Short mmCIF file of all heavy atoms in Angstrom, two decimals:
data_model
loop_
_atom_site.label_atom_id
_atom_site.label_comp_id
_atom_site.label_asym_id
_atom_site.label_seq_id
_atom_site.Cartn_x
_atom_site.Cartn_y
_atom_site.Cartn_z
N SER A 988 74.59 68.08 93.01
CA SER A 988 75.48 68.60 91.91
C SER A 988 76.39 67.57 91.43
O SER A 988 76.86 67.62 90.29
CB SER A 988 76.26 69.78 92.46
OG SER A 988 77.30 69.37 93.28
N GLY A 989 76.62 66.53 92.22
CA GLY A 989 77.56 65.46 91.85
C GLY A 989 79.00 65.90 91.82
O GLY A 989 79.90 65.19 91.36
N ARG A 990 79.31 67.15 92.26
CA ARG A 990 80.70 67.59 92.38
C ARG A 990 81.18 67.57 93.78
O ARG A 990 80.37 67.83 94.75
CB ARG A 990 80.70 69.05 91.86
CG ARG A 990 80.61 69.21 90.39
CD ARG A 990 80.50 70.70 90.04
NE ARG A 990 81.65 71.37 90.42
CZ ARG A 990 81.63 72.73 90.23
NH1 ARG A 990 80.59 73.39 89.72
NH2 ARG A 990 82.71 73.39 90.57
N GLY A 991 82.48 67.43 94.02
CA GLY A 991 83.06 67.53 95.28
C GLY A 991 82.49 66.79 96.41
O GLY A 991 81.85 65.78 96.21
N GLY A 992 82.84 67.21 97.58
CA GLY A 992 82.39 66.56 98.89
C GLY A 992 82.84 67.23 100.09
O GLY A 992 83.46 68.39 99.94
N ALA A 993 82.60 66.69 101.25
CA ALA A 993 82.99 67.28 102.51
C ALA A 993 84.47 67.49 102.41
O ALA A 993 85.27 66.63 101.84
CB ALA A 993 82.53 66.39 103.67
N PHE A 994 85.02 68.54 103.18
CA PHE A 994 86.39 68.78 103.24
C PHE A 994 87.12 67.54 103.68
O PHE A 994 86.59 66.74 104.51
CB PHE A 994 86.72 69.80 104.33
CG PHE A 994 86.22 71.24 104.06
CD1 PHE A 994 86.02 72.07 105.11
CD2 PHE A 994 85.95 71.62 102.76
CE1 PHE A 994 85.53 73.40 104.85
CE2 PHE A 994 85.42 72.90 102.50
CZ PHE A 994 85.22 73.77 103.58
N GLY A 995 88.36 67.25 103.13
CA GLY A 995 89.06 66.14 103.55
C GLY A 995 90.58 66.52 103.56
O GLY A 995 90.90 67.64 103.09
N PRO A 996 91.39 65.59 104.10
CA PRO A 996 92.83 65.95 104.07
C PRO A 996 93.45 66.00 102.64
O PRO A 996 92.79 65.46 101.70
CB PRO A 996 93.45 64.85 104.85
CG PRO A 996 92.41 63.79 105.08
CD PRO A 996 91.06 64.28 104.67
N LEU A 997 94.55 66.66 102.48
CA LEU A 997 95.18 66.88 101.17
C LEU A 997 95.37 65.58 100.47
O LEU A 997 95.11 65.46 99.23
CB LEU A 997 96.53 67.49 101.36
CG LEU A 997 96.50 69.02 101.54
CD1 LEU A 997 97.86 69.53 101.90
CD2 LEU A 997 96.08 69.70 100.20
N GLU A 998 95.82 64.46 101.13
CA GLU A 998 96.00 63.16 100.51
C GLU A 998 94.71 62.69 99.74
O GLU A 998 94.68 62.18 98.67
CB GLU A 998 96.48 62.13 101.42
CG GLU A 998 97.60 62.46 102.33
CD GLU A 998 97.12 63.28 103.56
OE1 GLU A 998 96.35 62.69 104.33
OE2 GLU A 998 97.39 64.41 103.66
N GLN A 999 93.56 62.80 100.54
CA GLN A 999 92.35 62.39 100.03
C GLN A 999 92.01 63.17 98.80
O GLN A 999 91.46 62.62 97.72
CB GLN A 999 91.15 62.55 101.07
CG GLN A 999 89.82 62.15 100.70
CD GLN A 999 88.91 62.44 101.84
OE1 GLN A 999 89.10 62.32 103.02
NE2 GLN A 999 87.71 62.93 101.40
N GLU A 1000 92.20 64.49 98.76
CA GLU A 1000 91.88 65.28 97.64
C GLU A 1000 92.74 64.83 96.43
O GLU A 1000 92.28 64.82 95.24
CB GLU A 1000 92.12 66.76 97.92
CG GLU A 1000 91.08 67.25 98.89
CD GLU A 1000 91.22 68.75 99.21
OE1 GLU A 1000 92.24 69.34 98.79
OE2 GLU A 1000 90.40 69.35 99.94
N GLY A 1001 94.05 64.55 96.70
CA GLY A 1001 94.89 64.14 95.67
C GLY A 1001 94.39 62.80 95.10
O GLY A 1001 94.45 62.65 93.80
N TRP A 1002 93.89 61.96 95.85
CA TRP A 1002 93.34 60.63 95.41
C TRP A 1002 92.18 60.93 94.48
O TRP A 1002 91.98 60.27 93.43
CB TRP A 1002 93.11 59.83 96.67
CG TRP A 1002 92.48 58.50 96.49
CD1 TRP A 1002 91.31 58.07 97.05
CD2 TRP A 1002 92.94 57.42 95.80
NE1 TRP A 1002 91.02 56.72 96.67
CE2 TRP A 1002 92.07 56.42 95.83
CE3 TRP A 1002 94.22 57.26 94.93
CZ2 TRP A 1002 92.28 55.08 95.20
CZ3 TRP A 1002 94.40 56.11 94.31
CH2 TRP A 1002 93.54 54.96 94.48
N ILE A 1003 91.25 61.82 94.92
CA ILE A 1003 90.06 62.15 94.14
C ILE A 1003 90.55 62.59 92.81
O ILE A 1003 89.98 62.28 91.74
CB ILE A 1003 89.22 63.10 94.90
CG1 ILE A 1003 88.63 62.50 96.10
CG2 ILE A 1003 88.09 63.60 94.01
CD1 ILE A 1003 87.73 63.42 97.02
#
Side-chain angles (χ1 to χ4, degrees):
S988 74
R990 287 171 59 187
F994 297 156
L997 277 171
E998 314 80 65
Q999 183 184 315
E1000 290 180 355
W1002 179 235
I1003 293 171

